[in-house]
Amino acid sequence: MKKIAIMGAMREEIAPILEKVENIKETDYAGNTYYEATYKGKSVAIAYSKIGKVFSALTATILIEKFGCDMLLFSGVAGGIDPDLNVGDLIIADGLCQHDLDITAFGHPHGFVPEGEVCMPTDPHLRRLAHSVAQKRGVPLKEGVIATGDQFVANTERKSWIAEIFNAHALEMEGASVAVVCNALDIPFFILRAISDSADMDAGFDFDTFLESSAKQSAEFILDMVEAIE
Ligand code: ADE
């Protein structure tokens, strides 16, 4: 049977999932807690990584290598770039890039390192499944590039720069590092985010206000995805 990794960055992003799963077995490992469980007959392993690219890469690796997950779903919140995205709206990544990765001094494009790629695509089957789940739930679901970096963006200039350089629709702090790990280990992966703020001067306040409600939107959708996975 398939084992599905479910990851968030913050406790709030996985708490609504832990409330709904059954037969939870907790394991402390490498400075974090991992929860193996079942949901509607499916086997899952759940963790929140802590914020940022390094912690999320570590957690994704452990979910795959130690807990034997063969697919990874990420659930969480993001700052919206696309003006059509409002607080609570859902977006899935068709690809992810690292907006803070910069060796342009050597003539490379932003987000690129040799033997890597600027934009890492997510699994097309999981994306298709997400659209059918969205249709069943009757909720709109955007798809686009999500830009990742080790920065909480609360600045319209930085946000516009990311939008222009990477053609990004939303931004966050973990998706692309999870993508690097899953690509390297040949694990299909999926990144879902609900908008918590618009990465502008109000972003800090909005994030604190909407983190919990937006994280819940994303988590509930992810559980429907788990149920729909064959
Ligand atoms: N996650 C949610 N909002 C964000 C923002 N404004 N910047 C970075 N990550 C985020």
Side-chain angles (χ1 to χ4, degrees):
M1 190 174 51
K2 277 209 178 79
K3 190 165 178 184
I4 303 167
I6 307 176
M7 244 188 99
M10 300 174 73
R11 184 185 302 279
E12 290 84 347
E13 290 171 327
I14 66 156
I17 294 167
L18 289 175
E19 277 171 22
K20 299 267 171 65
V21 296
E22 293 177 317
N23 307 310
I24 297 179
K25 180 186 162 205
E26 251 183 77
T27 305
D28 288 336
Y29 184 73
N32 207 350
T33 305
Y34 292 81
Y35 305 88
E36 292 171 280
T38 56
Y39 184 72
K40 310 240 165 152
K42 305 265 167 49
S43 189
V44 296
I46 306 159
Y48 74 92
S49 56
K50 300 187 278 287
I51 293 166
K53 295 196 293 182
V54 176
F55 280 130
S56 57
L58 175 65
T59 300
T61 306
I62 290 170
L63 282 165
I64 296 162
E65 292 283 298
K66 181 175 170 63
F67 290 94
C69 294
D70 32 36
M71 175 181 292
L72 188 148
L73 311 179
F74 192 104
S75 179
V77 301
I81 296 177
D82 183 333
D84 287 346
L85 285 170
N86 297 309
V87 167
D89 288 352
L90 295 169
I91 177 166
I92 59 171
D94 57 8
L96 295 121
C97 54
Q98 298 185 64
H99 68 72
D100 59 350
L101 183 56
D102 183 348
I103 54 165
T104 55
F106 299 93
H108 295 296
H110 284 280
F112 180 83
V113 289
E115 299 180 52
E117 48 188 333
V118 173
C119 192
M120 294 160 282
T122 55
D123 183 70
H125 302 291
L126 289 171
R127 265 186 266 151
R128 230 171 292 135
L129 189 68
H131 286 294
S132 75
V133 167
Q135 209 167 22
K136 246 190 231 153
R137 289 175 67 102
V139 294
L141 183 67
K142 274 242 170 200
E143 181 172 323
V145 172
I146 296 183
T148 301
D150 281 328
Q151 301 169 344
F152 184 84
V153 178
N155 172 318
T156 47
E157 261 171 43
R158 178 72 188 165
K159 168 174 135 167
S160 303
W161 182 86
I162 293 167
E164 193 184 316
I165 301 294
F166 297 99
N167 194 22
H169 296 249
L171 55 86
E172 36 83 313
M173 302 178 71
E174 297 83 19
S177 37
V178 169
V180 169
V181 168
C182 291
N183 270 345
L185 297 174
D186 204 17
I187 292 293
F189 71 102
F190 171 80
I191 311 281
L192 172 71
R193 297 280 184 170
I195 300 302
S196 56
D197 60 84
S198 297
D200 56 13
M201 59 188 263
D202 299 323
F205 179 83
D206 289 345
F207 181 88
D208 282 342
T209 309
F210 299 114
L211 165 64
E212 212 172 303
S213 58
S214 292
K216 192 158 181 275
Q217 297 288 329
S218 178
E220 284 171 358
F221 193 102
I222 283 285
L223 285 173
D224 281 2
M225 287 280 295
V226 171
E227 190 176 353
I229 285 168
E230 296 282 321

